[in-house]
Amino acid sequence: MRPATLAVHAGRPPRDVDQPLNVPITMASTYVAGGDLEYGRYANPTWTAFEDALGGLEGGRCLAFASGLAVVATVLDLVGPGETVVAPRHGYNGTTTQLADLEARGRVRALLVDIADTEAVVAACADAALVWVESPTNPAMEVADIPTIATAAHDAGARMVVDNTFATPVLQQPLDLGADLVVHSATKYLSGHADLVMGAAVTRDDELYGVLKGRRDLAGAIPGTFEAWLALRGLRTLPLRVERAQANATELARRLTDHPAVVEVRYPGFGGVVSIVLRDADAADGLTSGTSLWVHATSLGGVESTFERRRRWRSEPSTIPEGLVRLSVGIEDVEDLWEDLAAALPTT
Ligand SMILES: *Cc1c(COP(=O)(O)O)cnc(C)c1O
């Protein structure tokens, strides 16, 4: 099956008479003993349906987690004492903060790199036990050369992980490009409606799958059943939503590039996230408080267009400009989105 078909058809109950088309929401802490399920922290049929669908789209075996950061914590916990993790300096804030926290407690060594500088990343891989890639990065929108970095990581005996939250499996399939593991914040595009928090990991490596499943069983970072059901419902329309958000983002990036108040547009040419740089913090705050359609809110990947001045967060690196606004372009009519933005942008 091709991705758009798979997104619609994967993770359904068997096609037998009187079976529902959709997987039921199984609310259960325990199951009759002697089978595969046993207990609610180990397994749930509603999670499994979501995992089958996302696993199909990424081309591996999937495990759902309580949140994107629960996956990040689980994966970073596999790094041995004192070993080195190579990661993007402009990666997702929570990931960078977890790494800094682990480093401060003497657990791992973190080596932050410019993920778009392939030569520097390859050189850094020599010492690594784990190479963490985000592409595009948040919010700088840098793009990594995943196949080259995967080869360098494997040559050094390291594992390579790609956070595929921004691109989604519709636009990028990291396992095909050589990654060992894909991680997701399902909170964003996968569920797509800004109504839940959930995470997922996907791998083709059965041993790694077993280790991660064991950690999930043990640490208990499991998703809610209703969240898994909603995420699967969202996943059904992922290819359509990504296609529309990308078309809108491409058009807005083009118009913003021509706008006199916009110093810089950062758009890698795919996906629904566009970062723009305005003159300073005041100009950016003026934009985020001046619209009626665009909502000033963190997070991304919903059907509705949102945006945010990233440096309002103290933890954002100082290499991100004060006037940078990250736009998560939704699926609305692009003319309405443009009119609302244009009216709130400074005139020069
Ligand atoms: C949001 C996000 C995360 C964290 O996921 P949560 O579901 O918020 O815990 C990780 N990586 C990226 C790229 C994200 O955007």
Side-chain angles (χ1 to χ4, degrees):
M1 275 189 279
R2 292 161 185 85
T5 313
L6 213 145
V8 172
H9 286 276
R12 302 264 185 198
R15 261 190 211 187
D16 297 333
V17 172
D18 281 346
Q19 281 281 331
L21 267 67
N22 290 300
V23 69
I25 300 172
T26 302
M27 302 300 289
S29 64
T30 190
Y31 305 91
V32 177
D36 295 331
L37 303 178
E38 295 282 7
Y39 184 58
R41 186 162 22 78
Y42 305 152
N44 178 288
T46 316
W47 305 347
T48 306
F50 168 82
E51 290 166 344
D52 286 349
L54 180 57
L57 289 172
E58 288 284 10
R61 295 174 77 191
C62 174
L63 286 162
F65 281 80
S67 66
L69 279 188
V71 184
V72 175
T74 304
V75 176
L76 292 181
D77 195 45
L78 303 182
V79 179
E83 289 184 335
T84 297
V85 180
V86 171
R89 65 186 170 132
H90 294 146
Y92 179 71
N93 225 291
T95 306
T96 317
T97 306
Q98 278 196 22
L99 267 174
D101 174 61
L102 288 170
E103 190 166 45
R105 290 188 286 128
R107 276 276 290 105
V108 304
R109 222 168 60 93
L111 199 53
L112 299 186
V113 292
D114 173 356
I115 211 72
D117 182 348
T118 307
E119 225 169 280
V121 181
V122 166
C125 284
D127 294 329
L130 181 72
V131 179
W132 191 281
V133 170
E134 225 181 271
S135 186
T137 57
N138 170 41
M141 306 307 291
E142 295 136 340
V143 172
D145 179 346
I146 295 174
T148 302
I149 297 171
T151 303
H154 293 153
D155 286 348
R159 256 191 199 127
M160 199 252 209
V161 180
V162 175
D163 183 331
N164 206 26
T165 300
F166 272 45
T168 85
V170 176
L171 302 175
Q172 173 169 280
Q173 288 149 315
L175 298 179
D176 279 346
L177 301 175
D180 301 290
L181 185 72
V182 171
V183 305
H184 274 286
S185 170
T187 311
K188 315 292 167 55
Y189 285 103
L190 299 184
S191 60
H193 296 72
D195 52 9
L196 62 91
V197 173
M198 207 176 110
V202 191
T203 182
R204 284 176 189 163
D205 178 338
D206 288 338
E207 190 188 324
L208 181 57
Y209 174 91
V211 169
L212 292 171
K213 170 75 167 72
R215 295 303 308 170
R216 189 182 69 174
D217 289 353
L218 195 61
I222 56 167
T225 310
F226 187 50
E227 276 75 2
W229 188 88
L230 272 179
L232 177 57
R233 183 183 159 114
L235 202 63
R236 300 292 183 216
T237 55
L238 177 72
L240 265 184
R241 286 185 286 104
V242 167
E243 196 179 300
R244 175 61 173 257
Q246 176 170 269
N248 283 352
T250 304
E251 181 56 25
L252 291 181
R254 192 181 65 74
R255 294 186 192 185
L256 286 162
T257 303
D258 293 337
H259 196 285
V262 179
V263 178
E264 192 187 351
V265 175
R266 298 191 183 184
Y267 184 59
F270 63 96
V273 181
V274 181
S275 287
I276 59 173
V277 180
L278 300 188
R279 190 176 59 240
D280 53 22
D282 284 346
D285 288 337
L287 173 63
T288 57
S289 62
T291 53
S292 53
L293 209 53
W294 289 81
V295 188
H296 188 213
T298 199
S299 197
L300 55 104
V303 290
E304 63 288 291
S305 293
T306 61
F307 57 0
E308 178 181 37
R309 185 173 82 80
R310 287 298 304 177
R311 284 292 296 280
R312 77 188 180 98
W313 297 98
R314 276 231 198 124
S315 53
E316 194 74 4
S318 58
T319 43
I320 298 299
E322 283 282 358
L324 184 142
V325 177
R326 185 189 67 198
L327 285 70
S328 171
V329 182
I331 65 167
E332 303 95 328
D333 189 298
V334 71
E335 297 303 334
D336 288 327
L337 293 178
W338 173 248
E339 282 167 22
D340 193 40
L341 264 188
L345 276 168
T347 42
T348 55

